[in-house]
Amino acid sequence: MDENYRFSYFSSSLKTTVGVGPEQEIGKSRLDIAANAEDREFWQPHVDNLLRRETFRNFTYPYRHKDGRTRWFSISGQPVFDEDGAFKGYRGVGADITTEHEAREQLAAALEELRAANVKLETQNMLFESAIDNISQGLCMFDGDRQLMVCNRRYAELYGLPRELVQPGTPLQMILAHRVSTGRYSGPDPQAFLENRMNMVASVVRTETIDELKDGRVYLIAHAQLPDGGSVAIHDDITARKRAEERIAHMARHDALTGLPNRLLLRDKMEEALARGEDGDEFAVLCLDLDNFKAVNDSLGHPAGDSLLQAVTRRLQVCVRETDTISRLGGDEFAILQPGPNAPERAATLARRIIEVLGAAFTIEGQQVVVGASIGIALAPHDGAEPDQLLKNADLALYRAKDDGRRTYRFFETQMDINQQSRRALEMDLRQALITGEFELFYQPIVSFASGRISGLEALIRWRHPVRGLLAPGEFVSLCEEIGLIVPIGDWVLRTACLQAAQLSEDIRIAVNLSPVQFKNPGLVSSVLQALYRARLDPGRLELEITESVLLLESEDTLAALHQLRDQGVRISMDDFGTGYSSLSYLRRFPFDRIKIDRSFIADLEKKSDCLAIIRAVSSLGKDLGIDTTAEGVETETQLKVLMMEGLTEVQGFLFSPPLPFDEIRELLAKAEKTVFAA
Ligand code: C2E
Ligand code: MG
Ligand code: MG
């Protein structure tokens, strides 16, 4: 039913059950099809249930069948809410129980008759026997001494009772003992089961019990006491109905692809944990996001993406304890609820473990795929007293983890919430900045070992914010990428850099950084060519710097764009080499003109011997492949000497000059005409 309690969906079995197809019933409400819609007293409790959005079970009502007869229906259902908790209607199952209903009524009438006539039950007549053998439920009556008075065929069937145990006078104890010995009892302890049932028959006035038997079957037992001290019970096998209900309940609260709990179920579990937390217990919520999922999905296709998510789920399951709950929130987002003491330490340990485990390559459809994960952690009750608050805060911490370089985890801090708000302000400012011309290009010289002179400039964007002053790219570029603004800004950088380069000496090369997001835009190649053309700049003077993450997209389009640019004479260099994934393989995928070794290797050059080993390897690889090599971030003379000895082609860094505004760089170039940097 939809949110207005109108039928919106039926399974195909509707036609066989009620004789009409879904098309005739959809849009109607239940009262439209009931045979007793005018009976307000009958319907009010059910209507109240619905209005309160409660689950209902085995509600029985009369239905007017197309053949004119009244049939009885038993329905069960539960409310459905969307991710935001908005009510979306009801989902449920119904069964035609007319035969049972009529048999029950007959039985009630027969019992009434018997009682009225004060006939002893041992002498019941044929009418009664046939009446009770006709119902599809098991029926039994015991006297005040807990001895069987009568039972029907179905009762014997339900419990596999042999003929001698269904004779009048059989003690209940013997029947129960037989049930225990054949496994047809419920609960963990057979002795407790026996005692409970012996008691129930003797003393409980009226009850309905659901018995989940050891073999998986589910029986509904309605038990009532008789005035003379005996008791009567109806046993109904509701296994099928129960399974259908369970399946529906499961579907509503689990993710179909991975079988993991979904956001709804996670929220419930968090509520429970928060309620327990009133005794001082804490717990952690970890939000996890795959670093590279979209690229896999885009390049290998959705079925591969699905198998990857399933593989990720399996790895996650190995990391957690039984008491932890893993949930898939959607897309490549997962959350883990981790109860227990020492929440901060345990959450950090789990996060490290997950990052390590998910960092290893996956084999999907025969291909090696590397994704990696970032994790944000919120601690309850400290970081929030509501599930949504905790999830939001864990999410903010996740953003931070991603900003801090991915494949890492961060705990939530109050500052992040404030940051989130200032981010929104920044986003609005950014959109304005392009229009009001607040961006500038700074240039940093690149010096060649061969000539000892400046051979090129790297254009580095700056934002002259009216309030916050001059901002470096680290403060806004990733936000530009997220909101897609990097495409027009990137175009502006290309145009400006080409125009300014055209004003400089012809032996000065100009390097421009490109974001991976710009490669998703099919207009990239023509943007570059137009910028060159408008500035009348020789394509050989333009160098485009890309990072490995561009090739990670592994798309044919990206490679084609790079080749087109290179065919026009533009040079392509790999920036920040060594910080990414499996670097060497990318060098095979595209013929780069230059490798720029990331400045972290240069900074640690003197401290860590492996940095030197890597620099040496890249330098000799560059020589063998005919690729130039540039060291970034050179700050000291010692570094410079080592790099020269290792045979790098060029260097760039504060040792020579920081990035400078265009006018200052012109002056520097004029002076440098005469200067040879002494190595
Ligand atoms: P990058 O391409 O690796 O640029 C080099 C960065 O290292 C620059 O930071 C530069 O100021 C800094 N640097 C240079 N020499 C030294 C040194 O000796 N020591 C230290 N510690 N740092 C040095 P900046 O300007 O903040 O740029 C950061 C990153 O932002 C760049 O890294 C680049 O990836 C990106 N970026 C800059 N401009 C643009 C742009 O126009 N478009 C795009 N998409 N990205 C840009
Ligand atoms: Mg660069
Ligand atoms: Mg770099």
Side-chain angles (χ1 to χ4, degrees):
M1 295 189 294
D2 63 17
E3 61 271 31
N4 300 315
Y5 308 101
R6 308 241 152 227
F7 296 123
S8 55
Y9 171 79
F10 288 103
S11 67
S12 53
S13 56
L14 181 78
K15 183 107 191 172
T16 40
T17 332
V18 306
V20 294
E23 62 286 348
Q24 289 172 55
E25 304 292 84
I26 277 179
K28 291 186 187 168
S29 83
R30 192 164 317 271
L31 281 172
D32 292 339
I33 61 169
N36 63 343
E38 65 298 333
D39 186 349
R40 292 196 57 158
E41 209 176 311
F42 176 91
W43 282 98
Q44 202 55 48
H46 179 66
V47 169
D48 287 344
N49 267 347
L50 293 186
L51 292 176
R52 281 198 296 267
R53 288 153 194 184
E54 292 167 341
T55 298
F56 58 88
R57 185 186 285 276
N58 301 332
F59 173 69
T60 304
Y61 75 99
Y63 163 80
R64 202 181 308 286
H65 194 272
K66 209 173 63 168
D67 63 14
R69 288 184 49 207
T70 296
R71 303 192 64 85
W72 289 81
F73 255 73
S74 167
I75 53 171
S76 299
Q78 61 182 154
V80 179
F81 300 94
D82 71 9
E83 294 210 336
D84 302 322
F87 174 65
K88 301 306 282 181
Y90 266 87
R91 207 180 333 210
V93 285
D96 184 333
I97 53 145
T98 309
T99 339
E100 286 97 308
H101 185 82
E102 286 170 355
R104 257 185 220 252
E105 303 230 301
Q106 270 175 34
L107 175 68
L111 283 171
E112 203 43 52
E113 231 171 79
L114 283 170
R115 219 171 275 138
N118 201 13
V119 180
K120 279 209 158 183
L121 284 173
E122 288 95 323
T123 62
Q124 6 123 342
N125 55 27
M126 290 295 291
L127 172 83
F128 178 62
E129 254 182 41
S130 85
I132 69 168
D133 269 343
N134 250 325
I135 48 176
S136 64
Q137 284 107 337
L139 173 105
C140 59
M141 290 171 97
F142 289 90
D143 62 19
D145 299 328
R146 298 181 189 136
Q147 291 185 344
L148 184 67
M149 291 159 78
V150 63
C151 71
N152 68 354
R153 216 180 294 144
R154 181 71 181 136
Y155 178 75
E157 262 167 39
L158 285 176
Y159 295 111
L161 302 177
R163 184 181 281 274
E164 62 273 19
L165 286 183
V166 297
Q167 299 307 321
T170 309
L172 170 63
Q173 177 118 33
M174 277 175 71
I175 294 177
L176 292 175
H178 178 84
R179 286 180 50 187
V180 166
S181 71
T182 54
R184 289 175 163 108
Y185 67 100
S186 62
D189 177 10
Q191 193 55 41
F193 168 79
L194 274 175
E195 278 164 26
N196 167 294
R197 287 307 142 92
M198 291 295 285
N199 255 333
M200 186 169 101
V201 166
S203 57
V204 178
V205 177
R206 206 180 181 90
T207 173
E208 280 212 349
T209 346
I210 290 181
D211 253 10
E212 306 215 8
L213 300 192
K214 280 273 164 300
D215 63 4
R217 272 183 288 174
V218 186
Y219 292 172
L220 175 71
I221 301 158
H223 158 96
Q225 243 182 13
L226 297 175
D228 59 3
S231 69
V232 58
I234 291 175
H235 297 241
D236 194 0
D237 183 347
I238 57 164
T239 313
R241 203 190 309 164
K242 181 92 178 144
R243 294 286 170 266
E245 279 174 29
E246 282 169 359
R247 222 172 36 245
I248 287 172
H250 188 271
M251 267 158 44
R253 292 154 69 81
H254 288 79
D255 167 50
L257 177 65
T258 60
L260 292 175
N262 63 12
R263 191 186 290 267
L264 278 177
L265 182 51
L266 178 75
R267 250 206 228 127
D268 284 359
K269 296 219 168 197
M270 286 171 77
E271 296 272 16
E272 283 167 26
L274 282 165
R276 277 199 305 273
E278 276 155 20
D279 317 331
D281 275 0
E282 12 170 49
F283 66 89
V285 184
L286 292 83
C287 273
L288 179 160
D289 186 300
L290 301 179
D291 289 337
N292 199 21
F293 179 71
K294 209 176 157 330
V296 174
N297 220 20
D298 290 350
S299 56
L300 298 184
H302 289 277
D306 285 355
S307 341
L308 178 60
L309 290 171
Q310 287 164 336
V312 165
T313 304
R314 285 192 293 275
R315 286 194 192 175
L316 286 176
Q317 279 159 341
V318 176
C319 293
V320 301
R321 298 191 189 194
E322 226 170 89
T323 45
D324 300 344
T325 305
I326 311 176
S327 150
R328 180 172 171 229
L329 301 181
D332 60 342
E333 268 183 80
F334 295 82
I336 298 168
L337 173 65
Q338 188 191 34
N342 300 328
E345 294 79 23
R346 293 184 51 223
T349 311
L350 178 59
R352 273 194 295 273
R353 173 112 200 267
I354 291 174
I355 289 168
E356 186 193 323
V357 167
L358 294 187
F362 289 86
T363 308
I364 301 295
E365 297 181 351
Q367 299 233 37
Q368 292 278 103
V369 176
V370 180
V371 278
S374 305
I375 294 176
I377 305 170
L379 299 172
H382 183 268
D383 297 338
E386 302 254 306
D388 286 341
Q389 183 70 29
L390 284 164
L391 280 171
K392 183 190 147 218
N393 288 346
D395 220 33
L396 285 175
L398 170 63
Y399 274 122
R400 170 58 61 85
K402 293 198 149 196
D403 273 358
D404 289 354
R406 299 169 180 255
R407 292 204 177 203
T408 176
Y409 66 92
R410 288 290 176 262
F411 282 94
F412 169 76
E413 293 156 22
T414 322
Q415 187 60 34
M416 292 177 183
D417 202 13
I418 300 168
N419 287 351
Q420 170 77 4
Q421 287 160 23
S422 63
R423 240 171 87 96
R424 253 179 241 129
L426 190 66
E427 185 180 326
M428 300 218 292
D429 288 357
L430 261 178
R431 296 187 188 279
Q432 201 57 36
L434 193 60
I435 302 165
T436 46
E438 289 166 10
F439 293 114
E440 280 173 36
L441 288 185
F442 275 36
Y443 293 91
Q444 186 176 36
I446 299 164
V447 176
S448 148
F449 271 123
S451 64
R453 287 177 194 280
I454 294 175
S455 51
L457 299 173
E458 175 170 6
L460 294 161
I461 192 166
R462 296 290 180 268
W463 177 14
R464 208 170 283 283
H465 191 280
V467 182
R468 300 175 56 195
L470 193 67
L471 300 181
E475 304 200 52
F476 61 92
V477 166
S478 64
L479 182 56
C480 290
E481 289 176 333
E482 254 172 64
I483 61 180
L485 212 58
I486 196 70
V487 171
I489 293 179
D491 280 353
W492 175 87
V493 172
L494 277 165
R495 263 181 285 133
T496 313
C498 287
L499 285 171
Q500 295 185 326
Q503 302 173 39
L504 303 173
S505 151
E506 276 181 12
D507 51 7
I508 300 289
R509 221 176 52 228
I510 202 94
V512 171
N513 292 286
L514 291 185
S515 150
V517 179
Q518 288 175 270
F519 280 88
K520 290 193 192 139
N521 170 23
L524 177 65
V525 174
S526 77
S527 282
V528 174
L529 298 180
Q530 268 182 39
L532 286 166
Y533 176 76
R534 283 170 72 180
R536 305 285 185 272
L537 191 73
D538 173 7
R541 287 181 62 197
L542 178 65
E543 189 161 295
L544 298 176
E545 299 193 356
I546 65 170
T547 53
E548 284 167 45
S549 48
V550 170
L551 293 183
L552 217 60
L553 299 172
E554 253 200 59
S555 102
E556 293 297 314
D557 296 343
T558 303
L559 281 180
L562 284 171
H563 277 290
Q564 276 176 47
L565 290 166
R566 201 164 180 277
D567 291 347
Q568 295 291 324
V570 176
R571 295 177 199 218
I572 311 290
S573 62
M574 173 166 283
D575 203 356
D576 303 342
F577 187 79
T579 53
Y581 303 85
S582 50
S583 307
L584 291 181
S585 69
Y586 293 120
L587 293 177
R588 278 183 27 217
R589 213 159 296 162
F590 184 79
F592 285 94
D593 297 284
R594 176 184 311 282
I595 302 172
K596 299 186 76 171
I597 304 176
D598 189 70
R599 70 163 186 267
S600 56
F601 293 91
I602 316 301
D604 292 342
L605 184 63
E606 290 156 66
K607 280 176 278 161
K608 296 192 189 150
S609 58
D610 51 343
C611 288
L612 184 59
I614 288 168
I615 293 171
R616 186 170 293 163
V618 175
S619 164
S620 81
L621 189 79
K623 273 191 214 120
D624 291 346
L625 297 174
I627 303 178
D628 284 341
T629 42
T630 302
E632 300 182 315
V634 182
E635 295 183 357
T636 69
E637 294 286 350
T638 325
Q639 289 168 350
L640 182 66
K641 287 215 182 72
V642 176
L643 294 167
M644 188 175 73
M645 276 181 359
E646 294 306 332
L648 269 83
T649 27
E650 292 184 325
V651 276
Q652 171 182 4
F654 293 167
L655 180 63
F656 305 100
S657 166
L660 295 172
F662 184 62
D663 292 337
E664 287 175 44
I665 211 77
R666 267 170 120 172
E667 284 168 33
L668 181 86
L669 283 174
K671 266 189 268 158
E673 287 281 290
K674 293 160 233 138
T675 326
V676 172
F677 287 98

